[in-house]
Amino acid sequence: MKYFSIITPFLKFDKELFNCLQSLNFQKYSNFEVILVYNGPKNIRKNQKENYLKTNYPNLSINLIVSKKKNNISYARNFGISNSRGRYLIFLDSDDMIFKNSLISIFREIKKNTPEVIAYNYKSVKKNKFSNDIILKNKKNFLKNINDFDGISLTCWRFIVQKKFLKKNKIKFNTELLVNEDNLFVSQIILNVKKFLISKLRYYIYNYNSKG
């Protein structure tokens, strides 16, 4: 079993996706898989793309799957979750990245605490600074640790989630929601979590510019 499953829906094979994958290539820690979920509008030659990925990212365990519903990121993420083999799930947008060698630090932190959910702050490319909207102030009530309930606070990539926790609480992305689908998903996590960790680590690089 892999320790982490990194779930990344994407619409096209482009420079941003390759930068995203390259950031995973720069990890000393290797017990993770990458679930690439294609949910773009065009058909792709899956075998050809798989060969490209194997050639260019030989150190990564990449599972390329094709979503049955196009342009539906909620369905794509659920599909990624159902195809994952990791204990913990990391949601990584295809135009974002993670810091070099950050996974080993995350692994050590999780191994020590075994939480159901871990929340992280991030670095914004546009603002060139780190967020601080989730800070540990209360070890029993997760909500009291969120300083600012904006859209970024409730995005799924702010959290690393234990897969069995999602299964136990029957938490999925709502495929009927085409915008702000993260908010409901994360709200369900917050309402059900019993053992959580607010980390001081910052591993995620949020590429706001590419999102428009």
Side-chain angles (χ1 to χ4, degrees), residues 106 109 118-121 134 136 197-202:
I106 294 170
E109 187 173 49
I118 314 95
Y120 293 89
N121 285 297
I134 302 180
L136 181 61
L197 174 67
I198 308 295
S199 178
K200 293 182 180 180
L201 296 174
R202 292 174 170 88

Side-chain angles (χ1 to χ4, degrees), residues 6 8 32 43 48 62 70 84 89 101 107 110 113 116 132-134 137 141 143 154 163-164 169 174 184 189 197 199:
I6 300 176
T8 302
F32 68 93
N43 293 327
Q48 183 185 70
I62 300 177
K70 305 300 183 183
S84 66
L89 306 177
N101 292 329
F107 167 75
I110 292 177
N113 297 279
E116 297 170 320
N132 60 356
D133 53 333
I134 302 180
K137 292 180 290 187
N141 188 328
L143 284 173
L154 299 179
K163 184 178 179 179
K164 69 178 182 180
N169 292 283
N174 188 326
L184 178 59
I189 287 174
L197 174 67
S199 178

